[in-house]
Amino acid sequence: GAVVSQHPSRVICKSGTSVKIECRSLDFQATTMFWYRQFPKQSLMLMATSNEGSKATYEQGVEKDKFLINHASLTLSTLTVTSAHPEDSSFYICSAKRPNQPQHFGDGTRLSIL
Amino acid sequence: SQQGEEDPQALSIQEGENATMNCSYKTSINNLQWYRQNSGRGLVHLILIRSNEREKHSGRLRVTLDTSKKSSSLLITASRAADTASYFCATDLTSGYSTLTFGKGTMLLVSP
């Protein structure tokens, strides 16, 4: 149990495009979902935390207008990178959890902006 | 600054050997978790050790925690080529599993 699906796994697009990444908890209801960013050979950096039905809480330095997060249901959260530029290229990973349970991670999305 | 720092950054061993990775952190924690990440994939939770525990085992994994030194170690015994991956420690400041802070990871290469 506790499977998290992230889609797409890879995106290549032109600069200026907006890209939406989906994170779904397949077999449990996730009250909280997290979005992380990972640069090559680096650690995961938390971008934002979202609770179902409420606005996401962004970490310091993360632009909320740039990285739009929607957690519309207990099984789905989306991250939209608006007007993406080459510096937004990275590996984005989501995780989902239930109360008092560990986070379960998706397989990540490799975003490449040309 | 990051809470967890692993060392070594990279470790290369032969199949059958043991692999030891260390993690140091700076502030008090509720628990510490170890994760594995295969190249280009998400993270897989391996083991969690609470601040009042000193050692924990799971299969070929052995984790220790020394809160006085603010350090933890992950030992993989009798390593296999399939253990090749990056290993991250993550500290959790609360009991709710929501405040994970990851280290930079140790890249383990196990050669056949």
Side-chain angles (χ1 to χ4, degrees):
Chain A
V3 176
V4 175
S5 172
Q6 191 172 336
H7 178 81
S9 59
R10 176 114 197 209
V11 180
I12 302 173
C13 58
K14 293 181 180 179
S15 185
T17 307
S18 291
V19 178
K20 180 184 282 188
I21 304 169
E22 291 188 349
C23 180
R24 293 180 185 272
S25 55
L26 298 186
D27 53 359
F28 68 100
Q29 292 188 324
T31 49
T32 308
M33 287 187 168
F34 304 84
W35 288 95
Y36 295 86
R37 182 172 180 174
Q38 185 181 31
F39 291 103
K41 299 183 180 180
Q42 294 292 317
S43 178
L44 276 73
M45 301 299 293
L46 180 65
M47 298 175 66
T49 303
S50 74
N51 293 296
E52 185 265 340
S54 61
K55 289 184 178 180
T57 301
Y58 290 80
E59 295 299 302
Q60 192 172 8
V62 178
E63 299 176 59
K64 57 182 68 174
D65 294 331
K66 175 74 171 176
F67 299 99
L68 300 178
I69 292 172
N70 185 289
H71 191 164
S73 76
L74 284 171
T75 59
L76 173 65
S77 176
T78 61
L79 167 68
T80 301
V81 184
T82 61
S83 186
H85 292 285
E87 59 266 27
D88 299 322
S89 298
S90 193
F91 192 57
Y92 293 88
I93 305 177
C94 73
S95 71
K97 67 180 294 295
R98 292 163 285 192
N100 299 314
Q101 293 293 314
Q103 296 181 33
H104 298 278
F105 289 81
D107 268 346
T109 297
R110 171 93 38 209
L111 176 62
S112 300
I113 307 299
L114 305 178
Chain B
S1 60
Q2 285 183 326
Q3 172 75 311
E5 293 285 340
E6 291 95 335
D7 79 86
Q9 291 186 345
L11 181 60
S12 183
I13 59 175
Q14 299 289 319
E15 265 192 328
E17 294 180 339
N18 295 341
T20 300
M21 289 159 269
N22 302 297
C23 170
S24 60
Y25 58 93
K26 297 178 181 175
T27 65
S28 296
I29 60 172
N30 177 276
N31 65 80
L32 185 145
Q33 302 172 34
W34 284 91
Y35 288 83
R36 168 198 169 120
Q37 183 181 34
N38 284 8
S39 181
R41 303 295 296 273
L43 272 70
V44 175
H45 185 264
L46 295 176
I47 197 166
L48 179 152
I49 187 165
R50 301 185 190 285
S51 60
N52 61 353
E53 297 176 308
R54 292 296 168 257
E55 187 171 312
K56 209 162 182 180
H57 297 255
S58 177
R60 292 184 295 114
L61 305 181
R62 173 177 169 256
V63 169
T64 63
L65 179 64
D66 186 336
T67 53
S68 66
K69 295 181 179 178
K70 292 187 170 58
S71 67
S72 174
S73 68
L74 170 67
L75 169 67
I76 303 175
T77 60
S79 63
R80 306 165 182 167
D83 293 330
T84 295
S86 291
Y87 292 83
F88 294 88
C89 69
T91 51
D92 193 352
L93 302 184
T94 71
S95 59
Y97 307 101
S98 291
T99 56
L100 296 183
T101 304
F102 288 86
K104 290 186 177 180
T106 293
M107 195 176 299
L108 174 65
L109 173 63
V110 182
S111 301

